[in-house]
Amino acid sequence: MSEVKFIDNGSVTSTPGFKACGVTAGLKKSGNPDMALVASDVPANFAGVFTSCVFAAAPVRVCRKLVRSCATAKAFIINSGNANACTGAAGMANAEKMSELTANALQITDSAVLVASTGRIGVQMPMDIIEKGIKMAAGTLSCDGGNQAARAIMTTDTVPKACAVSVEIAGKTVTIGAICKGVGMIDPQMTTAPHATMICCITTDAICSNALLEKMLADNANNSFNRITVDGDMSTNDTCVIFANGVSGVDLDANADDAAKFQTALLALMQNLARKQVMDGEGATKFVAIEIDGAPDNAAAKLCAEAVANSLLCKTAWFGCDPNWGRIVAALGYSGADFDPDKVDIFYDDMIVVRQGGDAGTPEADLARILQNREFTVKVHMNQGAGEYWVWTSDVSYEYVKINAEYHT
Amino acid sequence: MSEVKFIDNGSVTSTPGFKACGVTAGLKKSGNPDMALVASDVPANFAGVFTSCVFAAAPVRVCRKLVRSCATAKAFIINSGNANACTGAAGMANAEKMSELTANALQITDSAVLVASTGRIGVQMPMDIIEKGIKMAAGTLSCDGGNQAARAIMTTDTVPKACAVSVEIAGKTVTIGAICKGVGMIDPQMTTAPHATMICCITTDAICSNALLEKMLADNANNSFNRITVDGDMSTNDTCVIFANGVSGVDLDANADDAAKFQTALLALMQNLARKQVMDGEGATKFVAIEIDGAPDNAAAKLCAEAVANSLLCKTAWFGCDPNWGRIVAALGYSGADFDPDKVDIFYDDMIVVRQGGDAGTPEADLARILQNREFTVKVHMNQGAGEYWVWTSDVSYEYVKINAEYHT
């Protein structure tokens, strides 16, 4: 297996042949940067996964269409401050107009321009501001603008999120770079057909068909972004897009082993970003991994992991550093999974909490010390099958309530 | 339809032939009352609905057995401060012992004694304290002890919850009385086979077979307790039991119209208590009714209502009196229901918020005024079928986080 190397301060522009920028168009009251543009020098193959919300936002619908109808894409325009969701026919026209304005500004005639939006739902996009922003962005693109772009797509995020990795494939270096945002309305279930507002843009210089890109992106989303939850609320706007411009000369369709190496590196990048999202989850003071094994089957394990990860009682107990495992067993018990409760063991990190469905006798003070850590794992060994699943989640704090009682999504 | 009359300060002891009491055995650090006993003077028919949690507590398992094996019951012993859940074989033995000790203290030989517990999960019941408490309770039963009993079963409840109604059936007065508790770990799905810790004891003086009692109780639970959610967390201990001692002389099995009148009165009582639970929901500052109609079918309506009622983003927005309807459409959209988003209208009380999936243009200040009320209704007219469902829920406040970061369930 080739080693996956993380690149310092990496982002979408770590990948050769991609430029990016972030600008302030004026969509946010705060006056913070609010539009990002990522562009490939040459037509790039591309693929995307999007929210499964019935109320999918206009930009999501536009991207879905482009993924199906276009062979290549050259740019991705993203705004924060307005989600362009639940905006009807006018919203669709505006999302299409954003794509078109960007194509015009970059003189793109032969490739798709993707579009994504995040921010308040139900408000029409102020197209005068958007138009001005697109012009500014087109004139600001640079080979090291990825981290600026990461900053411009933030909403309740407290830190910009970006990552890049490199991996040796077929004797050459392949780079994968990315930026992403999303720390609230986060429980993505992105699929290739049609969850947070999370938005992620990935760039690579591999040569790869759209079909293979889509398969690798969707498979990896199921093992990264689709495994995280902050609040259990899926968004109308979740979008994760990958561009492959081919400039490395490494052809992933030609060799399954090479594709596997690439997919492993891509997964490392996507998991790194997913972890950053949960770490920066709205008001979060804890990063909690829920790991289920020994379940009757994987579906049961998934039900169990998601019930614990989304339990308001578990999440508030974690905030309180309270080793109250009763709330965990209650969540397992109502998850909808069918299992024998008397076989279940539970650990906090490597310390046993529950043995065979009952108190394991570990002193509460020892357990509390684990829960005082910024990160810990809740391991549930169900001891009745081969099913397994994991989820990353955060706690619910006073700050969470403050952010969400005061902020307009 | 006969009129259902609510009785002032009514409770389980409003029903002729029932005595009750609440005592302080010493299970709670606070020193508050912690054991309640309800007893019928004569053997009573009975039925129960219980949690569907896989980790059902020992007292729940004991009650399920008694409901299936005994023709009549005479008493119900309830403690707060300890849930006797996840306590293994010793816990089962202790729950059975609670039943037996109560039978001995009341010299009951011919009828079942039911048992329910609420409080911390995973701790063995201190049987010396229980034994002392049962003796105290047996010596304290009185004809007006219902409200004392209601107080003794409280955990994070801030007010005792009780209710009684009377209804004229077949020329005679039938009384139904009840006490209940439960304001956290509240999302009951109680079924006759095997969901908050909510505990409810209902008494009536009607004559009714166990089978008919069970059917009416289960049907009504689906339109009352099973329609409420505070935190989306179902408990290991939910228990709702009804006793019918027959002293009114009104035979419900003999006449379907009479049974229907009774069931209507019983529903009014159960809805009154369910409402009180949500009103007293942990940290709750809002009572929010979610009403869905025009859905493709009832199942879709239920998915939509429960998604909105349990959305952390909706619940924190309500706490902030923020008319942010984007969070409602997001929840409808990820509910799992399949529907046309462009047909959906949403109202706060009688004020339109969303028309055909988009902003209806009502000034935000007008909407905010509705959300500043203690109670309001979110009405979702889906305009695409005959499916309907409703749920009662509460908001999530700073106080909710405080209670649950500090309290051991």
Side-chain angles (χ1 to χ4, degrees):
Chain A
M1 212 60 174
S2 302
E3 199 186 351
V4 176
K5 292 187 186 140
F6 283 81
I7 299 169
D8 285 348
N9 292 314
S11 75
V12 279
T13 46
S14 301
T15 309
F18 287 94
K19 296 189 176 70
C21 67
V23 299
T24 304
L27 294 160
K28 289 176 176 168
K29 284 182 196 160
S30 63
N32 287 331
D34 49 23
M35 290 196 82
L37 179 59
V38 180
S40 175
D41 294 340
V42 298
N45 284 346
F46 71 115
V49 289
F50 306 97
T51 183
S52 44
C53 182
V54 167
F55 282 95
V60 166
R61 299 187 203 189
V62 168
C63 284
R64 279 194 202 130
K65 238 191 288 187
L66 293 171
V67 164
R68 293 295 163 229
S69 63
C70 296
T72 60
K74 266 186 96 169
F76 190 13
I77 182 78
I78 311 171
N79 75 278
S80 53
N82 186 316
N84 195 4
C86 301
T87 45
M92 276 300 287
N94 287 339
E96 282 164 358
K97 185 79 181 169
M98 282 178 68
S99 173
E100 187 187 318
L101 288 170
T102 307
N104 291 345
L106 297 174
Q107 297 180 291
I108 297 171
T109 54
D110 53 342
S111 282
V113 176
L114 302 180
V115 52
S117 301
T118 179
R120 186 151 177 198
I121 292 172
V123 179
Q124 291 298 343
M125 199 68 92
M127 290 305 290
D128 51 338
I129 296 176
I130 291 289
E131 185 160 3
K132 192 185 68 175
I134 288 172
K135 280 183 189 157
M136 286 173 61
T140 319
L141 282 172
S142 84
C143 294
D144 59 1
N147 287 303
Q148 271 184 319
R151 191 169 289 277
I153 62 175
M154 292 165 61
T155 52
T156 52
D157 304 66
T158 67
V159 290
K161 295 167 189 71
C163 183
V165 298
S166 68
V167 59
E168 297 300 309
I169 302 178
K172 295 174 181 164
T173 300
V174 170
T175 305
I176 316 175
I179 58 170
C180 84
K181 65 83 58 177
V183 296
M185 208 175 255
I186 292 293
D187 187 358
Q189 298 301 330
M190 296 180 295
T191 70
T192 51
H195 161 143
T197 299
M198 67 150 289
I199 291 177
C200 181
C201 173
I202 305 173
T203 59
T204 181
D205 54 2
I207 300 171
C208 187
S209 66
N210 292 352
L212 182 55
L213 276 178
E214 181 172 291
K215 186 186 179 323
M216 292 192 293
L217 186 69
D219 285 354
N220 282 355
N222 285 335
N223 289 298
S224 58
F225 298 124
N226 292 353
R227 298 282 185 122
I228 67 172
T229 178
V230 170
D231 44 24
D233 280 271
M234 191 201 304
S235 166
T236 50
N237 287 59
D238 296 329
T239 298
C240 178
V241 167
I242 184 167
F243 295 87
N245 68 6
V247 305
S248 70
V250 177
D251 186 349
L252 303 180
D253 293 276
N255 184 309
D257 286 347
D258 290 348
K261 281 180 201 162
F262 178 87
Q263 185 163 355
T264 298
L266 179 63
L267 182 59
L269 172 113
M270 291 169 74
Q271 289 188 343
N272 176 286
L273 291 169
R275 186 181 173 82
K276 284 176 173 153
Q277 290 184 275
V278 175
M279 275 284 181
D280 194 30
E282 290 178 340
T285 74
K286 306 286 178 191
F287 175 96
V288 187
I290 313 297
E291 299 179 0
I292 313 282
D293 66 28
D297 52 41
N298 289 343
K302 185 168 192 268
L303 287 170
C304 286
E306 291 179 343
V308 174
N310 284 312
S311 158
L312 198 47
L313 285 172
C314 290
K315 289 166 88 83
T316 47
W318 297 330
F319 172 59
C321 303
D322 176 355
N324 200 334
W325 58 265
R327 296 177 180 183
I328 297 174
V329 299
L332 296 169
Y334 68 65
S335 66
D338 188 18
F339 63 91
D340 179 349
D342 296 332
K343 291 185 175 170
V344 175
D345 300 334
I346 302 178
F347 289 70
Y348 291 152
D349 287 343
D350 292 319
M351 199 172 284
I352 191 159
V353 187
V354 169
R355 182 178 282 118
Q356 298 183 339
D359 190 10
T362 309
E364 191 150 310
D366 294 345
L367 299 174
R369 265 194 297 278
I370 294 175
L371 272 77
Q372 280 153 13
N373 295 329
R374 177 74 174 85
E375 293 186 41
F376 57 88
T377 300
V378 175
K379 295 178 187 171
V380 180
H381 303 306
M382 301 184 75
N383 302 307
Q384 48 201 291
E388 54 184 26
Y389 201 78
W390 59 267
V391 172
W392 291 339
T393 189
S394 55
D395 58 343
V396 165
S397 66
Y398 296 116
E399 186 65 18
Y400 178 86
V401 176
K402 182 169 186 201
I403 293 167
N404 286 296
E406 295 176 8
Y407 175 78
H408 268 300
T409 307
Chain B
M1 215 56 176
S2 302
E3 199 187 348
V4 177
K5 291 186 188 142
F6 283 81
I7 298 168
D8 285 348
N9 292 312
S11 77
V12 279
T13 46
S14 301
T15 309
F18 287 93
K19 297 189 178 69
C21 67
V23 300
T24 304
L27 293 161
K28 290 178 178 166
K29 283 183 195 159
S30 63
N32 288 332
D34 51 21
M35 291 196 82
L37 180 58
V38 180
S40 175
D41 295 338
V42 298
N45 284 345
F46 72 114
V49 289
F50 307 97
T51 183
S52 45
C53 183
V54 168
F55 281 95
V60 166
R61 298 188 204 189
V62 168
C63 283
R64 278 193 203 132
K65 238 193 284 188
L66 293 172
V67 163
R68 293 293 163 232
S69 62
C70 297
T72 61
K74 267 187 96 171
F76 191 13
I77 183 79
I78 310 172
N79 74 278
S80 53
N82 186 316
N84 194 5
C86 302
T87 46
M92 276 300 286
N94 286 339
E96 282 164 358
K97 186 77 180 170
M98 282 179 69
S99 173
E100 187 187 319
L101 288 169
T102 307
N104 291 345
L106 296 174
Q107 298 181 291
I108 296 171
T109 54
D110 53 341
S111 281
V113 176
L114 301 179
V115 52
S117 301
T118 180
R120 186 153 176 196
I121 292 172
V123 180
Q124 292 298 343
M125 199 67 91
M127 290 304 291
D128 51 338
I129 295 175
I130 291 287
E131 185 160 3
K132 193 185 69 173
I134 288 172
K135 279 182 187 156
M136 286 173 62
T140 317
L141 282 172
S142 83
C143 295
D144 60 1
N147 286 304
Q148 273 185 318
R151 191 169 290 278
I153 62 175
M154 292 164 62
T155 53
T156 50
D157 304 67
T158 67
V159 291
K161 294 166 190 72
C163 182
V165 298
S166 67
V167 58
E168 299 299 309
I169 301 178
K172 294 173 181 162
T173 300
V174 170
T175 305
I176 315 175
I179 58 171
C180 84
K181 66 83 56 178
V183 296
M185 211 177 252
I186 292 292
D187 186 357
Q189 299 300 331
M190 297 181 293
T191 69
T192 53
H195 165 141
T197 301
M198 65 152 289
I199 291 178
C200 181
C201 173
I202 305 172
T203 59
T204 180
D205 53 2
I207 300 170
C208 189
S209 65
N210 292 351
L212 182 55
L213 276 178
E214 181 172 290
K215 186 185 181 324
M216 290 191 294
L217 186 69
D219 284 354
N220 281 355
N222 283 335
N223 289 298
S224 58
F225 298 123
N226 292 354
R227 297 284 184 120
I228 67 172
T229 179
V230 170
D231 44 25
D233 280 272
M234 193 200 303
S235 167
T236 50
N237 287 58
D238 296 327
T239 298
C240 178
V241 168
I242 185 168
F243 295 88
N245 68 5
V247 306
S248 70
V250 176
D251 186 350
L252 304 181
D253 293 278
N255 184 312
D257 287 346
D258 291 349
K261 280 180 200 164
F262 178 87
Q263 185 164 354
T264 298
L266 179 63
L267 181 60
L269 172 116
M270 291 169 73
Q271 289 189 342
N272 177 285
L273 291 169
R275 186 181 173 80
K276 284 176 173 155
Q277 289 184 276
V278 175
M279 276 284 181
D280 194 29
E282 289 177 342
T285 73
K286 305 287 178 190
F287 175 97
V288 187
I290 313 297
E291 299 179 359
I292 312 282
D293 65 28
D297 52 41
N298 290 342
K302 185 168 192 270
L303 287 170
C304 286
E306 290 178 345
V308 174
N310 285 313
S311 159
L312 198 46
L313 285 173
C314 289
K315 290 166 86 84
T316 46
W318 297 330
F319 171 59
C321 303
D322 176 355
N324 200 331
W325 57 265
R327 297 177 180 184
I328 297 175
V329 299
L332 295 169
Y334 69 65
S335 66
D338 188 19
F339 62 90
D340 180 348
D342 296 332
K343 291 184 175 171
V344 175
D345 300 333
I346 303 179
F347 289 71
Y348 292 153
D349 287 342
D350 292 319
M351 199 172 285
I352 191 158
V353 187
V354 170
R355 180 179 284 117
Q356 297 182 342
D359 190 9
T362 309
E364 192 151 308
D366 293 345
L367 300 174
R369 265 195 298 281
I370 293 175
L371 271 78
Q372 282 153 13
N373 296 328
R374 177 73 175 88
E375 294 185 43
F376 57 86
T377 300
V378 174
K379 296 179 188 171
V380 180
H381 303 306
M382 301 184 74
N383 302 309
Q384 48 201 292
E388 53 183 27
Y389 201 78
W390 59 267
V391 172
W392 290 339
T393 189
S394 55
D395 59 343
V396 165
S397 65
Y398 297 116
E399 186 66 18
Y400 178 86
V401 176
K402 182 172 188 197
I403 293 167
N404 286 297
E406 295 177 7
Y407 175 79
H408 267 302
T409 305

